[in-house]
Amino acid sequence: MFDHPVWHYINFPYQPGSSSNSIPREILGEENIIFAFQKNLDIIQSNATNSEKAVAICWLFHLVGDVHQPLHTTKLITNQYKEPEGDRGGTRFYIRVNPNSQTISLHKFWDDLILGSENFQTVRNTATKIRVSYQRSKLPELRETQFNNWAKLESFNIAKQKAYLNGKLSGSSDKNDGKPLPPNYAATAKPIAERRMSLAGYRLADVLNKLFAKR
């Protein structure tokens, strides 16, 4: 009920220079983040016990957040990161934020762009600041209400274009020796992450309001 590692992502393959391998395709029956979202929606709307529904609601919170992190939807396929696993959503693509920084994965870099602290007040202040900058009226993407499209049409394309720089970003497969990110990469990525976080918050609210509006 609680531990489902494969529910946190879907690995749409991105192979630079090969359009046939860069089109998001769902595998029917595969347990992934799209499958998990629908499954938990179904539980909430079923005759399941209150405890089961409570767990499902917690999953909705988590999954809506995860699907807006671009590297939760994508795996890079290259000669360096071979099929079928690729770079596993950037978790095996090692970088350094600066030449003298410690090596981390590209996935962790994108995870930590906003949530770099576990302090409640710090997180609350950050959320308040982001909400002021990204109001609903400034987010035309909110017209898209389908979870699978948040993955396919948004996060996957952001991963290709902004995270992997259309295949031009250099990474290392050595977890002890990451490649330095290009200048301004972090500065460009941060507002993208803030926008994705804002979209996730508004969309989660919309999902919950729709689910419980008549109760």
Side-chain angles (χ1 to χ4, degrees):
M1 182 180 292
F2 302 112
D3 184 26
H4 297 280
V6 298
W7 282 11
H8 297 268
Y9 61 90
I10 184 167
N11 278 333
F12 293 128
Y14 169 45
Q15 187 170 0
S18 178
S19 59
S20 63
N21 288 314
S22 299
I23 301 171
R25 298 183 304 277
E26 293 180 53
I27 300 174
L28 293 179
E30 179 183 75
E31 290 205 19
N32 54 45
I33 196 169
I34 294 174
F35 165 92
F37 181 78
Q38 188 59 54
K39 180 178 179 66
N40 284 285
L41 272 185
D42 292 343
I43 290 172
I44 294 167
Q45 298 176 94
S46 74
N47 294 320
T49 65
N50 286 340
S51 60
E52 290 172 326
K53 291 182 179 181
V55 172
I57 290 170
C58 291
W59 270 109
L60 290 191
F61 273 74
H62 193 100
L63 297 171
V64 172
D66 274 352
V67 81
H68 284 81
Q69 205 276 56
L71 293 177
H72 275 265
T73 66
T74 316
K75 63 179 177 183
L76 179 69
I77 305 292
T78 65
N79 290 333
Q80 184 180 12
Y81 302 103
K82 298 184 182 298
E83 294 187 276
E85 294 183 335
D87 75 341
R88 286 190 171 185
T91 60
R92 293 183 174 178
F93 190 109
Y94 296 104
I95 56 94
R96 299 176 192 265
V97 178
N98 300 301
N100 297 323
S101 301
Q102 68 178 10
T103 292
I104 60 172
S105 71
L106 187 66
H107 189 106
K108 178 173 174 54
F109 169 83
W110 278 84
D111 272 350
D112 291 350
L113 275 168
I114 297 174
L115 301 179
S117 171
E118 295 183 4
N119 179 275
F120 174 77
Q121 192 59 51
T122 300
V123 173
R124 182 177 181 177
N125 291 343
T126 301
T128 300
K129 180 181 177 181
I130 291 174
R131 185 179 181 184
V132 170
S133 300
Y134 296 93
Q135 299 173 15
R136 276 185 177 270
S137 60
K138 299 179 181 178
L139 299 170
E141 299 98 313
L142 289 172
R143 288 193 291 267
E144 176 57 69
T145 61
Q146 298 301 308
F147 186 92
N148 62 336
N149 286 335
W150 303 343
K152 286 181 179 181
L153 302 183
E154 295 180 4
S155 282
F156 177 71
N157 284 318
I158 291 171
K160 289 195 303 181
Q161 297 165 16
K162 304 300 182 181
Y164 294 117
L165 300 182
N166 293 311
K168 296 178 181 178
L169 183 68
S170 295
S172 171
S173 53
D174 182 351
K175 63 182 179 181
N176 298 309
D177 189 21
K179 293 284 185 70
L181 290 175
N184 298 322
Y185 183 96
T188 301
K190 189 170 181 63
I192 295 171
E194 291 178 346
R195 189 179 189 93
R196 297 302 289 161
M197 180 67 74
S198 300
L199 286 165
Y202 289 124
R203 283 167 166 166
L204 175 61
D206 291 344
V207 168
L208 295 175
N209 282 332
K210 185 176 180 180
L211 278 171
F212 301 112
K214 297 180 180 180
R215 302 191 179 200

mmCIF file of all heavy atoms in Angstrom, residues 52-82:
data_model
loop_
_atom_site.group_PDB
_atom_site.id
_atom_site.type_symbol
_atom_site.label_atom_id
_atom_site.label_comp_id
_atom_site.label_asym_id
_atom_site.label_seq_id
_atom_site.Cartn_x
_atom_site.Cartn_y
_atom_site.Cartn_z
ATOM 1 N N GLU A 52 -8.064 3.306 3.433
ATOM 2 C CA GLU A 52 -7.525 3.107 2.083
ATOM 3 C C GLU A 52 -7.640 4.386 1.264
ATOM 4 O O GLU A 52 -6.726 4.742 0.500
ATOM 5 C CB GLU A 52 -8.271 1.960 1.388
ATOM 6 C CG GLU A 52 -7.964 0.592 1.963
ATOM 7 C CD GLU A 52 -8.853 -0.498 1.394
ATOM 8 O OE1 GLU A 52 -10.042 -0.207 1.098
ATOM 9 O OE2 GLU A 52 -8.375 -1.634 1.249
ATOM 10 N N LYS A 53 -8.749 5.094 1.431
ATOM 11 C CA LYS A 53 -8.919 6.359 0.715
ATOM 12 C C LYS A 53 -7.941 7.418 1.211
ATOM 13 O O LYS A 53 -7.439 8.230 0.427
ATOM 14 C CB LYS A 53 -10.362 6.851 0.871
ATOM 15 C CG LYS A 53 -11.383 5.994 0.134
ATOM 16 C CD LYS A 53 -12.783 6.559 0.277
ATOM 17 C CE LYS A 53 -13.791 5.712 -0.486
ATOM 18 N NZ LYS A 53 -15.166 6.251 -0.396
ATOM 19 N N ALA A 54 -7.654 7.407 2.493
ATOM 20 C CA ALA A 54 -6.699 8.375 3.044
ATOM 21 C C ALA A 54 -5.320 8.174 2.438
ATOM 22 O O ALA A 54 -4.636 9.151 2.091
ATOM 23 C CB ALA A 54 -6.636 8.236 4.561
ATOM 24 N N VAL A 55 -4.916 6.922 2.296
ATOM 25 C CA VAL A 55 -3.622 6.625 1.674
ATOM 26 C C VAL A 55 -3.637 7.068 0.211
ATOM 27 O O VAL A 55 -2.668 7.648 -0.295
ATOM 28 C CB VAL A 55 -3.288 5.127 1.780
ATOM 29 C CG1 VAL A 55 -2.034 4.782 0.964
ATOM 30 C CG2 VAL A 55 -3.087 4.725 3.245
ATOM 31 N N ALA A 56 -4.746 6.817 -0.477
ATOM 32 C CA ALA A 56 -4.857 7.200 -1.894
ATOM 33 C C ALA A 56 -4.744 8.713 -2.059
ATOM 34 O O ALA A 56 -4.125 9.202 -3.008
ATOM 35 C CB ALA A 56 -6.167 6.682 -2.476
ATOM 36 N N ILE A 57 -5.347 9.469 -1.140
ATOM 37 C CA ILE A 57 -5.250 10.927 -1.212
ATOM 38 C C ILE A 57 -3.795 11.366 -1.042
ATOM 39 O O ILE A 57 -3.318 12.264 -1.747
ATOM 40 C CB ILE A 57 -6.155 11.579 -0.143
ATOM 41 C CG1 ILE A 57 -7.625 11.374 -0.508
ATOM 42 C CG2 ILE A 57 -5.859 13.072 -0.019
ATOM 43 C CD1 ILE A 57 -8.601 11.772 0.586
ATOM 44 N N CYS A 58 -3.097 10.734 -0.116
ATOM 45 C CA CYS A 58 -1.674 11.054 0.065
ATOM 46 C C CYS A 58 -0.889 10.783 -1.218
ATOM 47 O O CYS A 58 -0.004 11.567 -1.588
ATOM 48 C CB CYS A 58 -1.092 10.245 1.221
ATOM 49 S SG CYS A 58 -1.713 10.704 2.843
ATOM 50 N N TRP A 59 -1.236 9.687 -1.888
ATOM 51 C CA TRP A 59 -0.568 9.395 -3.153
ATOM 52 C C TRP A 59 -0.857 10.475 -4.196
ATOM 53 O O TRP A 59 0.039 10.856 -4.965
ATOM 54 C CB TRP A 59 -1.002 8.023 -3.675
ATOM 55 C CG TRP A 59 -0.133 6.902 -3.191
ATOM 56 C CD1 TRP A 59 -0.447 5.922 -2.294
ATOM 57 C CD2 TRP A 59 1.221 6.649 -3.583
ATOM 58 N NE1 TRP A 59 0.619 5.094 -2.104
ATOM 59 C CE2 TRP A 59 1.661 5.499 -2.882
ATOM 60 C CE3 TRP A 59 2.118 7.278 -4.459
ATOM 61 C CZ2 TRP A 59 2.953 4.974 -3.028
ATOM 62 C CZ3 TRP A 59 3.396 6.758 -4.606
ATOM 63 C CH2 TRP A 59 3.802 5.619 -3.896
ATOM 64 N N LEU A 60 -2.074 10.987 -4.241
ATOM 65 C CA LEU A 60 -2.385 12.044 -5.208
ATOM 66 C C LEU A 60 -1.499 13.261 -4.984
ATOM 67 O O LEU A 60 -0.976 13.843 -5.942
ATOM 68 C CB LEU A 60 -3.856 12.456 -5.118
ATOM 69 C CG LEU A 60 -4.914 11.473 -5.595
ATOM 70 C CD1 LEU A 60 -6.273 12.169 -5.675
ATOM 71 C CD2 LEU A 60 -4.570 10.848 -6.935
ATOM 72 N N PHE A 61 -1.338 13.653 -3.723
ATOM 73 C CA PHE A 61 -0.455 14.777 -3.405
ATOM 74 C C PHE A 61 0.933 14.527 -3.986
ATOM 75 O O PHE A 61 1.528 15.401 -4.636
ATOM 76 C CB PHE A 61 -0.346 14.955 -1.884
ATOM 77 C CG PHE A 61 -1.408 15.820 -1.283
ATOM 78 C CD1 PHE A 61 -2.717 15.361 -1.135
ATOM 79 C CD2 PHE A 61 -1.122 17.102 -0.856
ATOM 80 C CE1 PHE A 61 -3.699 16.155 -0.568
ATOM 81 C CE2 PHE A 61 -2.098 17.907 -0.289
ATOM 82 C CZ PHE A 61 -3.392 17.441 -0.145
ATOM 83 N N HIS A 62 1.446 13.352 -3.733
ATOM 84 C CA HIS A 62 2.819 13.039 -4.136
ATOM 85 C C HIS A 62 2.959 12.935 -5.657
ATOM 86 O O HIS A 62 3.900 13.477 -6.243
ATOM 87 C CB HIS A 62 3.254 11.726 -3.483
ATOM 88 C CG HIS A 62 4.715 11.466 -3.576
ATOM 89 N ND1 HIS A 62 5.594 11.714 -2.544
ATOM 90 C CD2 HIS A 62 5.480 11.013 -4.603
ATOM 91 C CE1 HIS A 62 6.821 11.414 -2.912
ATOM 92 N NE2 HIS A 62 6.781 10.979 -4.166
ATOM 93 N N LEU A 63 2.020 12.253 -6.293
ATOM 94 C CA LEU A 63 2.124 12.006 -7.730
ATOM 95 C C LEU A 63 1.974 13.281 -8.552
ATOM 96 O O LEU A 63 2.664 13.453 -9.567
ATOM 97 C CB LEU A 63 1.078 10.976 -8.162
ATOM 98 C CG LEU A 63 1.232 9.583 -7.544
ATOM 99 C CD1 LEU A 63 0.018 8.727 -7.864
ATOM 100 C CD2 LEU A 63 2.515 8.905 -8.027
ATOM 101 N N VAL A 64 1.078 14.160 -8.140
ATOM 102 C CA VAL A 64 0.919 15.421 -8.877
ATOM 103 C C VAL A 64 2.206 16.234 -8.791
ATOM 104 O O VAL A 64 2.624 16.862 -9.762
ATOM 105 C CB VAL A 64 -0.286 16.225 -8.353
ATOM 106 C CG1 VAL A 64 -0.327 17.615 -8.989
ATOM 107 C CG2 VAL A 64 -1.591 15.494 -8.667
ATOM 108 N N GLY A 65 2.860 16.211 -7.647
ATOM 109 C CA GLY A 65 4.148 16.884 -7.537
ATOM 110 C C GLY A 65 5.200 16.238 -8.413
ATOM 111 O O GLY A 65 5.897 16.912 -9.186
ATOM 112 N N ASP A 66 5.297 14.918 -8.339
ATOM 113 C CA ASP A 66 6.330 14.205 -9.093
ATOM 114 C C ASP A 66 6.201 14.405 -10.601
ATOM 115 O O ASP A 66 7.204 14.561 -11.302
ATOM 116 C CB ASP A 66 6.269 12.703 -8.794
ATOM 117 C CG ASP A 66 7.070 12.314 -7.557
ATOM 118 O OD1 ASP A 66 7.794 13.172 -7.003
ATOM 119 O OD2 ASP A 66 6.981 11.143 -7.134
ATOM 120 N N VAL A 67 4.981 14.375 -11.118
ATOM 121 C CA VAL A 67 4.813 14.425 -12.571
ATOM 122 C C VAL A 67 5.229 15.776 -13.144
ATOM 123 O O VAL A 67 5.506 15.898 -14.342
ATOM 124 C CB VAL A 67 3.353 14.090 -12.970
ATOM 125 C CG1 VAL A 67 2.433 15.306 -12.816
ATOM 126 C CG2 VAL A 67 3.288 13.546 -14.392
ATOM 127 N N HIS A 68 5.311 16.798 -12.297
ATOM 128 C CA HIS A 68 5.725 18.115 -12.764
ATOM 129 C C HIS A 68 7.242 18.306 -12.721
ATOM 130 O O HIS A 68 7.744 19.330 -13.203
ATOM 131 C CB HIS A 68 5.013 19.210 -11.961
ATOM 132 C CG HIS A 68 3.591 19.393 -12.367
ATOM 133 N ND1 HIS A 68 2.577 18.574 -11.907
ATOM 134 C CD2 HIS A 68 3.001 20.280 -13.210
ATOM 135 C CE1 HIS A 68 1.433 18.954 -12.453
ATOM 136 N NE2 HIS A 68 1.659 19.984 -13.238
ATOM 137 N N GLN A 69 7.957 17.346 -12.157
ATOM 138 C CA GLN A 69 9.433 17.374 -12.221
ATOM 139 C C GLN A 69 9.812 16.692 -13.534
ATOM 140 O O GLN A 69 9.563 15.498 -13.721
ATOM 141 C CB GLN A 69 10.012 16.631 -11.007
ATOM 142 C CG GLN A 69 11.416 17.073 -10.614
ATOM 143 C CD GLN A 69 12.532 16.387 -11.398
ATOM 144 O OE1 GLN A 69 12.546 16.448 -12.628
ATOM 145 N NE2 GLN A 69 13.458 15.772 -10.705
ATOM 146 N N PRO A 70 10.397 17.420 -14.479
ATOM 147 C CA PRO A 70 10.595 16.872 -15.825
ATOM 148 C C PRO A 70 11.304 15.520 -15.876
ATOM 149 O O PRO A 70 10.970 14.679 -16.704
ATOM 150 C CB PRO A 70 11.428 17.962 -16.521
ATOM 151 C CG PRO A 70 11.040 19.214 -15.817
ATOM 152 C CD PRO A 70 10.808 18.832 -14.387
ATOM 153 N N LEU A 71 12.248 15.293 -14.976
ATOM 154 C CA LEU A 71 13.017 14.054 -15.041
ATOM 155 C C LEU A 71 12.309 12.873 -14.390
ATOM 156 O O LEU A 71 12.869 11.776 -14.313
ATOM 157 C CB LEU A 71 14.403 14.265 -14.422
ATOM 158 C CG LEU A 71 15.279 15.230 -15.243
ATOM 159 C CD1 LEU A 71 16.618 15.464 -14.564
ATOM 160 C CD2 LEU A 71 15.500 14.713 -16.659
ATOM 161 N N HIS A 72 11.064 13.077 -13.961
ATOM 162 C CA HIS A 72 10.235 11.950 -13.540
ATOM 163 C C HIS A 72 9.480 11.360 -14.720
ATOM 164 O O HIS A 72 8.676 10.446 -14.541
ATOM 165 C CB HIS A 72 9.250 12.377 -12.449
ATOM 166 C CG HIS A 72 9.816 12.343 -11.068
ATOM 167 N ND1 HIS A 72 9.670 11.272 -10.212
ATOM 168 C CD2 HIS A 72 10.569 13.241 -10.391
ATOM 169 C CE1 HIS A 72 10.277 11.523 -9.066
ATOM 170 N NE2 HIS A 72 10.833 12.714 -9.155
ATOM 171 N N THR A 73 9.722 11.890 -15.929
ATOM 172 C CA THR A 73 8.973 11.422 -17.093
ATOM 173 C C THR A 73 9.868 10.932 -18.228
ATOM 174 O O THR A 73 9.351 10.539 -19.266
ATOM 175 C CB THR A 73 8.084 12.557 -17.651
ATOM 176 O OG1 THR A 73 8.915 13.601 -18.172
ATOM 177 C CG2 THR A 73 7.171 13.126 -16.578
ATOM 178 N N THR A 74 11.168 10.928 -18.043
ATOM 179 C CA THR A 74 12.066 10.806 -19.190
ATOM 180 C C THR A 74 13.304 9.988 -18.858
ATOM 181 O O THR A 74 13.842 10.087 -17.759
ATOM 182 C CB THR A 74 12.538 12.213 -19.631
ATOM 183 O OG1 THR A 74 11.429 13.101 -19.649
ATOM 184 C CG2 THR A 74 13.183 12.163 -21.006
ATOM 185 N N LYS A 75 13.763 9.195 -19.825
ATOM 186 C CA LYS A 75 15.086 8.585 -19.722
ATOM 187 C C LYS A 75 15.861 8.906 -20.995
ATOM 188 O O LYS A 75 15.331 8.818 -22.106
ATOM 189 C CB LYS A 75 15.002 7.073 -19.515
ATOM 190 C CG LYS A 75 14.366 6.293 -20.663
ATOM 191 C CD LYS A 75 14.357 4.802 -20.370
ATOM 192 C CE LYS A 75 13.660 4.019 -21.489
ATOM 193 N NZ LYS A 75 13.579 2.579 -21.206
ATOM 194 N N LEU A 76 17.088 9.310 -20.840
ATOM 195 C CA LEU A 76 17.948 9.640 -21.976
ATOM 196 C C LEU A 76 18.590 8.366 -22.507
ATOM 197 O O LEU A 76 19.147 7.573 -21.744
ATOM 198 C CB LEU A 76 19.031 10.618 -21.522
ATOM 199 C CG LEU A 76 20.044 11.057 -22.584
ATOM 200 C CD1 LEU A 76 19.377 11.931 -23.630
ATOM 201 C CD2 LEU A 76 21.214 11.790 -21.922
ATOM 202 N N ILE A 77 18.500 8.183 -23.828
ATOM 203 C CA ILE A 77 19.122 7.034 -24.493
ATOM 204 C C ILE A 77 20.215 7.547 -25.420
ATOM 205 O O ILE A 77 19.946 8.291 -26.368
ATOM 206 C CB ILE A 77 18.099 6.227 -25.323
ATOM 207 C CG1 ILE A 77 16.900 5.798 -24.467
ATOM 208 C CG2 ILE A 77 18.769 5.034 -25.985
ATOM 209 C CD1 ILE A 77 17.206 4.779 -23.420
ATOM 210 N N THR A 78 21.458 7.175 -25.151
ATOM 211 C CA THR A 78 22.595 7.543 -26.004
ATOM 212 C C THR A 78 23.582 6.377 -25.999
ATOM 213 O O THR A 78 23.356 5.355 -25.351
ATOM 214 C CB THR A 78 23.314 8.798 -25.468
ATOM 215 O OG1 THR A 78 23.889 8.492 -24.183
ATOM 216 C CG2 THR A 78 22.357 9.986 -25.331
ATOM 217 N N ASN A 79 24.699 6.549 -26.706
ATOM 218 C CA ASN A 79 25.750 5.532 -26.648
ATOM 219 C C ASN A 79 26.321 5.405 -25.242
ATOM 220 O O ASN A 79 26.823 4.348 -24.855
ATOM 221 C CB ASN A 79 26.873 5.879 -27.625
ATOM 222 C CG ASN A 79 26.451 5.714 -29.065
ATOM 223 O OD1 ASN A 79 25.568 4.914 -29.372
ATOM 224 N ND2 ASN A 79 27.063 6.472 -29.966
ATOM 225 N N GLN A 80 26.251 6.500 -24.493
ATOM 226 C CA GLN A 80 26.741 6.508 -23.116
ATOM 227 C C GLN A 80 25.720 5.881 -22.160
ATOM 228 O O GLN A 80 26.092 5.187 -21.213
ATOM 229 C CB GLN A 80 27.037 7.946 -22.689
ATOM 230 C CG GLN A 80 27.649 8.099 -21.305
ATOM 231 C CD GLN A 80 27.914 9.567 -20.969
ATOM 232 O OE1 GLN A 80 27.442 10.476 -21.666
ATOM 233 N NE2 GLN A 80 28.676 9.799 -19.918
ATOM 234 N N TYR A 81 24.450 6.150 -22.433
ATOM 235 C CA TYR A 81 23.364 5.621 -21.602
ATOM 236 C C TYR A 81 22.486 4.738 -22.476
ATOM 237 O O TYR A 81 21.563 5.206 -23.134
ATOM 238 C CB TYR A 81 22.558 6.774 -20.997
ATOM 239 C CG TYR A 81 23.388 7.723 -20.171
ATOM 240 C CD1 TYR A 81 23.776 8.960 -20.676
ATOM 241 C CD2 TYR A 81 23.812 7.368 -18.891
ATOM 242 C CE1 TYR A 81 24.555 9.830 -19.922
ATOM 243 C CE2 TYR A 81 24.590 8.218 -18.136
ATOM 244 C CZ TYR A 81 24.964 9.449 -18.650
ATOM 245 O OH TYR A 81 25.743 10.302 -17.911
ATOM 246 N N LYS A 82 22.782 3.473 -22.462
ATOM 247 C CA LYS A 82 22.209 2.558 -23.447
ATOM 248 C C LYS A 82 20.839 2.031 -23.020
ATOM 249 O O LYS A 82 20.485 2.042 -21.852
ATOM 250 C CB LYS A 82 23.165 1.384 -23.677
ATOM 251 C CG LYS A 82 24.527 1.808 -24.233
ATOM 252 C CD LYS A 82 25.396 0.604 -24.528
ATOM 253 C CE LYS A 82 26.775 1.025 -25.032
ATOM 254 N NZ LYS A 82 26.706 1.776 -26.295
#
